[in-house]
Structures are given as structure tokens and as C-alpha cells.
Amino acid sequence: MSTQETIPAIRKTVVLNAPIEKVWNAVATAEGIAAWWMPSTFEPVLGHEFILHAGNFGDSPAKVTELDPPNTLGFDWGKDWHLQFELKTLEDGKTEFTLIHSGWDPSKLTEFGQPHTVIREVMNGGWESIVHKALVAYVEA
């Protein structure tokens, strides 16, 4: 067993003033994902391989690995990462959404040759804005 330190997953949780079905449509359809994150060829089908169109960063391969509508969606992204979206209905008709971005390894580099330790910090800030601003604005519009 390796004693190497692992880098913790990025976790972003937000409470959305919308029913779970509306949030699920925002996070588990290509149209929805494009509205708050990035365009893709995503389809909510277990095992579906798709492309995330990351603008200046080019296209990234991804694959749906978990699908439990309307509660959980997970997919592998690029060569090392895993994204999971967890949705939970709250008593007041709102929905708690949690994004978990895992697969960080201090010994690895991204496809672009950047250390995971550096990119995790960049992505952490990016997800903060994407989840707490872009997703909220789209779902609550």
C-alpha cells in the first residue's frame, strides 16, 4: 500500500431553489450542461463515451460511469479525473447539488503537462464560480 499523499477531491455544494427534476435536466443533458459549463456530446446513458468541448483547452474524452436519475451522475474525464454530480431533494422543494471532482494525484501531470497540484487549485476556483454562479443562474432563471 502506498503511503503517498493524495490530493483531496474538489467538493462544491449549493442549494438550488428548484425541484430535483429541473436540476437533473440542467446537469444530465447536453443542452443543460452547455448552458452552465461547456458544450459536449453527452448523453445520459451508462457507458456512453462523449466529448467535452473545453474551448481553448481543446476536446476532452469522457465516459458515463454512474447513472441513477435523478440522484447521481458520474463520468470519467480525460485520463485521470472523475466527476460526480449528487442531487438530493430538500424538504422545502429545493434541491441540494454537490459536485465532486476527484482523481487528483501529486505524482501526475495533466494532458498538457501541468502538475495536478497546480491545476487542482485553478479548477477549485473555477468550480466555485461555475457551481455557485453559472449553475444557480441557469437553474433559477
Side-chain angles (χ1 to χ4, degrees), residues 68-139:
D68 179 22
N71 303 299
T72 309
L73 168 66
F75 55 90
D76 291 337
W77 174 21
K79 63 184 183 66
D80 297 317
W81 294 332
H82 185 74
L83 268 189
Q84 187 175 40
F85 301 157
E86 294 180 349
L87 290 72
K88 195 181 332 178
T89 296
L90 303 178
E91 286 178 18
D92 52 9
K94 296 180 180 182
T95 303
E96 182 184 86
F97 171 81
T98 301
L99 173 144
I100 303 163
H101 184 170
S102 59
W104 302 102
D105 183 331
S107 69
K108 290 186 177 176
L109 300 177
T110 68
E111 287 87 336
F112 304 103
Q114 300 146 312
H116 276 207
T117 47
V118 172
I119 296 306
R120 186 198 179 279
E121 290 314 302
V122 172
M123 294 286 248
N124 189 44
W127 281 130
E128 185 69 24
S129 176
I130 291 167
V131 170
H132 289 277
K133 293 191 177 89
L135 179 62
V136 172
Y138 175 64
V139 169

Side-chain angles (χ1 to χ4, degrees), residues 3-70:
T3 56
Q4 162 188 325
E5 280 186 43
T6 56
I7 306 171
I10 295 171
R11 296 181 74 95
K12 300 294 174 188
T13 299
V14 66
V15 173
L16 297 155
N17 189 13
I20 196 168
E21 294 77 17
K22 184 175 184 185
V23 179
W24 180 257
N25 285 333
V27 303
T29 64
E31 179 186 16
I33 292 169
W36 62 275
W37 184 30
M38 69 173 79
S40 70
T41 59
F42 175 83
E43 289 178 28
V45 176
L46 201 58
H48 177 69
E49 295 184 11
F50 63 102
I51 300 293
L52 289 162
H53 302 294
N56 299 342
F57 298 103
D59 290 349
S60 289
K63 181 179 181 178
V64 179
T65 57
E66 299 164 81
L67 188 65
D68 179 22

